[in-house]
Amino acid sequence: EDQVTQSPEALRLQEGESSSLNCSYTVSGLRGLFWYRQDPGKGPEFLFTLYSAGEEKEKERLKATLTKKESFLHITAPKPEDSATYLCAVRGNEKLTFGTGTRLTIIP
Amino acid sequence: KAGVTQTPRYLIKTRGQQVTLSCSPISGHRSVSWYQQTPGQGLQFLFEYFSETQRNKGNFPGRFSGRQFSNSRSEMNVSTLELGDSALYLCASSIRTDKYEQYFGPGTRLTVT
């Protein structure tokens, strides 16, 4: 069965303090790894898709990387508006499996 | 381009009743997936449809069912509601199944009393 584990569960950072979120996965036949951002009471917002080890994607202060066993979401000089829950998901042979997310809080 | 829309946004039902939730995908998207999100379990996959055919199903009881219409719109139904069915139900659409990213709607918040 496909599995996704995200760490840490929660992270508090000062504004401007860079850090990384981790997503470890086991999947049969990786079709893609996806990162989403979710604000309270809203649906997840698509951020990135990664397909193969070594691939990297960037968007504003966020950068996602992928290895054969894990993915990292690096956040550089975060701002308070980056506060959200970040979800990682993998697409295997049958379905999309989500991790439980990292709740990120950026303190002004 | 309009995003994924879900109706209703909020719903309160009583145990034993049934409920139908609706989802309109992004124009041109032919795949629709449904998820249940709860604080304890996170996002759990319910089912996935493509061209009116159910392609995959998650580990939920038969009380949960769905369908997709020829215009790609989808509905899910939950019969004989239980207190544990209280959750945010999310619909997501993608161009096709498999490796393509899914775009989520705002969800329907279902409360069962």
Side-chain angles (χ1 to χ4, degrees):
Chain A
E1 185 175 327
D2 301 341
Q3 289 190 335
V4 178
T5 303
Q6 293 188 245
S7 62
E9 288 187 14
L11 183 62
R12 290 170 63 89
L13 299 172
Q14 291 292 134
E15 184 173 358
E17 180 184 1
S18 301
S19 188
S20 296
L21 313 182
N22 177 264
C23 170
S24 299
Y25 63 90
T26 55
V27 63
S28 52
L30 179 68
R31 306 297 178 92
L33 183 142
F34 305 87
W35 282 97
Y36 288 86
R37 168 196 169 122
Q38 187 174 25
D39 294 300
K42 296 187 177 182
E45 174 189 347
F46 170 72
L47 293 174
F48 303 110
T49 307
L50 300 167
Y51 291 113
S52 56
E55 191 174 357
E56 299 182 350
K57 293 275 181 71
E58 282 190 70
K59 180 181 179 180
E60 295 180 358
R61 296 176 291 283
L62 298 175
K63 179 180 177 180
T65 62
L66 181 64
T67 72
K68 287 188 177 180
K69 293 184 178 182
E70 56 191 351
S71 176
F72 293 93
L73 185 65
H74 308 277
I75 181 160
T76 303
K79 299 181 179 182
E81 54 262 40
D82 295 321
S83 297
T85 295
Y86 290 85
L87 297 166
C88 171
V90 293
R91 177 80 193 209
N93 291 326
E94 294 186 344
K95 60 184 173 74
L96 198 60
T97 300
F98 279 84
T100 52
T102 293
R103 188 172 65 254
L104 178 65
T105 303
I106 307 300
I107 305 162
Chain B
K1 205 178 215 183
V4 178
T5 59
Q6 293 187 244
T7 56
R9 292 294 312 282
Y10 303 92
L11 207 49
I12 299 175
K13 289 287 188 178
T14 304
R15 271 180 303 174
Q17 289 185 316
Q18 75 165 18
V19 67
T20 299
L21 311 181
S22 181
C23 171
S24 293
I26 293 171
S27 177
H29 285 195
R30 297 171 61 190
S31 177
V32 172
S33 298
W34 288 89
Y35 298 86
Q36 180 195 68
Q37 187 174 34
T38 58
Q41 298 294 319
L43 270 153
Q44 301 289 311
F45 171 73
L46 281 157
F47 19 68
E48 178 179 56
Y49 288 88
F50 179 74
S51 292
E52 301 178 70
T53 301
Q54 186 178 92
R55 294 303 177 103
N56 293 298
K57 190 176 190 303
N59 296 324
F60 279 81
R63 300 185 295 107
F64 292 80
S65 63
R67 59 179 176 169
Q68 186 181 31
F69 302 96
S70 58
N71 60 358
S72 295
R73 193 177 66 85
S74 177
E75 289 181 347
M76 68 162 282
N77 183 276
V78 187
S79 62
T80 318
L81 284 166
E82 301 177 359
L83 294 178
D85 296 332
S86 295
L88 181 67
Y89 289 87
L90 291 160
C91 167
S93 76
S94 60
I95 295 174
R96 295 175 62 88
T97 59
D98 201 35
K99 66 179 182 178
Y100 298 92
E101 60 268 14
Q102 297 183 4
Y103 294 88
F104 283 81
T108 294
R109 171 72 62 185
L110 173 65
T111 302
V112 182
T113 62

